Each structure stands twice: as structure tokens, then as C-alpha cells.
Amino acid sequence: MTLSDQGDVTTAHQNIVDGIDGAMDGVEPDRARDTAPGPTGAHPANAARKSGDRVRSLASRYALLGVWILMAGLYAVMMPHKFVNVSTFQAIFGSQSALLFLAVSALCTFVVGEFDLSFASVMGLSATIIPVLSTLHHVNLFLACLVSLGVALCCGVLNAVFIVKLGVPSLIVTLGTASLFLGIAELISSSTIVSVSNKTFTKMALHNVLGLPLSFYYGLILCAGFAYVLAWMPIGRHIVFVGANREVARLAGISVDRIRAGSYIVASLVAGLAGILLVATVGGFDPTASSSYLLPALAAVFLGTAIVMPGQFNPMGTFLGIYFLETGILGLQLLGYTGWVQDAFYGAGLVLAVTVACVVRSRTRTA
């Protein structure tokens, strides 16, 4: 190897290292600042500046919580007898578990820089298969749930093949497969609502624990587990690297295509679980209603980028975003605004969330 070749290799290696460092800076800027060693006997002005930076960091991370508290306080003042009671608390935190699972399904692709519009239709197909098999064809309910998960897995594989293997744009593929899955759901159900009645199945979702149904704790465990994987497991670090900079991750030896394909498959599986949870909660599903879940899930995911880890898609932010939106909608409904208010609130929330995420991300990059 000549000296010039050695110089080229060294330069390439340094570029990879610099790129990884840059991705790390974008992923965890606050942790890097917090763990950086500081000089002993620091000047009081430096200490004050660091204290101010920490306050601003906390404010940017949890500002949405302050808005949530103010909104809840406003509703409490305007209608103390309607809003301030146990039933309102249960309505907010006990009725959104299926939507939370669906939002996490969308999050699975967003964290790796992909895009999926079919997750709501996958949930709808899964939720349709269970009562159709169980009620119309007398299949064991547990087996029907396994079949619905298997179909959801096939949906994810189909998306992965077209997007990752064949290189078709994800927006086109998932828009098409969303319509395909919706059509299949309408076909097998004959475009009618099919219900299922099983007390044990319902109890698995609605059994009350500390005033809330079990389904709430399923969603909490799902989000906490996802956050743990992203923060502490090697596969999670790889996922974050791919989402931060795909080319740098590939040069660093990470199997980018495998992670991209896996994100679509896992997203569809989680959407299948959302379908099972939805059927267990309400006892059936109307396949034509699948598209109505798309906007709320996207609004919660993007709103989650404004909290916990500003500018980044994160599970706990999505968890809080779901219940923030539900608090706002329920309060408006209690005030007498019905019908249009849900779509309007979710639409405005999505636009506001995307705007906040873009502003926070741009400020993080320039900091």
C-alpha cells in the first residue's frame, strides 16, 4: 500500500468516525453535555450558565406537561362538577390503549427514518379477522388471534419487500397497501360490523386495576419497553444510528436494510396487537372505520417529539401525547362541542406538533 493509499484510508476512516460522532451529538446532545468533565473550581458565572442551560433543557423537554396542566386546570375551573371526577380520569386514561398501540406502530418506522401509511389498515384487517373467524366460522378465539397476528406479519413483510428490497418509495407503497388491506377487510366481513362475545377475552383488556383497565398498563409496558430498547440495547443504538444518518450507519457496518425491513414487520405486528386489543375492548370492529385512526395516531407521534426528547421520535413522548390529545378533546366535548371537534383538534394538533418538532430540531442542530 502506498502512502497516498494509506492517507485515503485514514481520511475515510476519520470521516466515518466524525459522522458517527455527529449522529451521537444529534441523538443525545443533553447526555453528552451532562457527562462532559468540567474544570475544578469553575467560575460562578460558568456554574450559573450551566444551571441556566439545565433549566432551559428541562423546560424544552417537559413544556408540554405544563400546557397539559394548564389545559386541565382551565377545564376544571370552567366545569368543576363535570371535569373534576373519577369518571373523567378513567375516560381519559382508560379508553385510548388501542390508539396508543397504533401510534407505537407508526413510531416503529419513524425512528429509522421510514414512513408508513398502512398501519391503521393493518389494525383494521387484524380486528376484522378475529370476529369473522370466531363468530362466523366458529374458530377458537385464541387461534383467531394468532391468525390475525400472522396476517399482520405478512402485511409487514409485503411492505418491506417492496420498499427495502425493490426500492419503491415508501409513501407510494404504504398508500397502496393501506387501500389493499382495507379492501380485504371489507371483503371478508361483507362490509358489515361483526362482533364477538367472550367474557374472558374482554376481561383481559377491561379488568380494573387501581381504577384503570389492564389495557392501560399494556400500553405503558409497551412504551417503556420500547424506550428501554432504544436507549440501552445494541439493536436500539443501531436503530437510532440508522434514523440519524443512514449512510454513516452503513459505513459503520450496521445492516441498514435489515433494520429498515424489521421496522415495517414489527410495526405491522404492533398494529395487529392494536387490532386484538380493540376487539377485546369494544367487542367488534367496523372495517370501514380503519382510516379514522390514522390521523390521531400520527398526531400523537409527532406531538411526542415535543416532549421528553425534543426533536426526536420517542415512545414516552408518544405515550404522553396520546393522553394530552384525549384530555383536550374530552374537555371540549364536555363543554358541548361535539361531532367536528375531534377531527379539528387532531388536525390542529398534528400541524402544531410537526411545527414544534421542526423548530426544536433546527434549534438543536444550530446549538
Side-chain angles (χ1 to χ4, degrees):
M1 181 181 294
T2 64
L3 291 176
S4 60
D5 293 336
Q6 292 179 354
D8 292 339
V9 171
T10 302
T11 302
H13 178 269
Q14 186 61 42
N15 288 337
I16 295 174
V17 173
D18 291 342
I20 295 175
D21 290 340
M24 283 290 291
D25 291 339
V27 171
E28 294 181 321
D30 295 323
R31 183 180 297 181
R33 286 194 295 266
D34 293 341
T35 57
T40 59
H43 193 275
N46 293 334
R49 184 167 57 252
K50 288 182 179 180
S51 178
D53 291 341
R54 290 177 181 176
V55 170
R56 284 190 293 270
S57 176
L58 289 174
S60 65
R61 284 173 180 267
Y62 302 108
L64 187 66
L65 289 180
V67 177
W68 192 359
I69 293 172
L70 288 175
M71 179 172 62
L74 180 61
Y75 286 149
V77 171
M78 296 177 66
M79 42 183 176
H81 299 293
K82 287 184 178 181
F83 191 79
V84 186
N85 53 59
V86 176
S87 61
T88 300
F89 174 83
Q90 292 174 333
I92 292 173
F93 292 96
S95 62
Q96 300 299 304
S97 300
L99 183 59
L100 176 60
F101 269 71
L102 194 61
V104 173
S105 173
L107 189 66
C108 288
T109 53
F110 281 129
V111 292
V112 296
E114 296 292 327
F115 193 75
D116 186 3
L117 286 177
S118 67
F119 58 88
S121 294
V122 174
M123 182 202 71
L125 179 57
S126 177
T128 302
I129 288 174
I130 296 171
V132 166
L133 290 180
S134 178
T135 303
L136 300 183
H137 299 283
H138 308 291
V139 175
N140 178 272
L141 185 57
F142 178 74
L143 180 59
C145 291
L146 290 180
V147 171
S148 71
L149 283 180
V151 172
L153 175 65
C154 293
C155 294
V157 171
L158 181 64
N159 282 337
V161 168
F162 277 98
I163 296 170
V164 180
K165 185 68 175 178
L166 300 181
V168 184
S170 60
L171 179 63
I172 303 300
V173 171
T174 57
L175 187 62
T177 55
S179 181
L180 171 64
F181 302 151
L182 175 60
I184 295 174
E186 292 177 348
L187 172 65
I188 63 177
S189 66
S190 300
S191 298
T192 59
I193 301 175
V194 184
S195 60
V196 58
S197 178
N198 187 293
K199 292 183 178 179
T200 303
F201 186 50
T202 301
K203 192 174 181 180
M204 291 176 60
L206 297 181
H207 179 69
N208 193 289
V209 177
L210 300 177
L212 293 173
L214 279 174
S215 57
F216 168 80
Y217 300 100
Y218 297 154
L220 178 61
I221 292 172
L222 176 67
C223 291
F226 194 2
Y228 176 82
V229 169
L230 291 178
W232 301 107
M233 295 186 66
I235 183 63
R237 303 294 295 176
H238 291 175
I239 290 172
V240 172
F241 278 140
V242 172
N245 194 316
R246 188 178 298 173
E247 293 306 317
V248 169
R250 183 177 285 110
L251 291 173
I254 297 175
S255 182
V256 174
D257 287 345
R258 183 176 299 177
I259 289 177
R260 292 175 61 207
S263 71
Y264 285 102
I265 295 172
V266 174
S268 292
L269 282 175
V270 176
L273 290 173
I276 294 174
L277 191 60
L278 186 60
V279 173
T281 302
V282 302
F285 186 71
D286 180 4
T288 61
S290 299
S291 58
S292 64
Y293 288 85
L294 180 63
L295 182 60
L298 290 176
V301 170
F302 280 98
L303 188 61
T305 62
I307 188 171
V308 182
M309 300 174 66
Q312 301 174 43
F313 295 107
N314 65 93
M316 297 313 298
T318 299
F319 177 84
L320 296 173
I322 283 284
Y323 297 109
F324 173 87
L325 291 170
E326 178 59 18
T327 301
I329 291 173
L330 182 61
L332 291 174
Q333 289 175 342
L334 291 175
L335 286 172
Y337 300 100
T338 58
W340 58 270
V341 67
Q342 184 167 340
D343 290 335
F345 195 89
Y346 278 131
L350 178 59
V351 173
L352 180 62
V354 173
T355 302
V356 171
C358 291
V359 171
V360 171
R361 188 176 293 111
S362 64
R363 289 184 177 180
T364 302
R365 289 175 178 175
T366 57

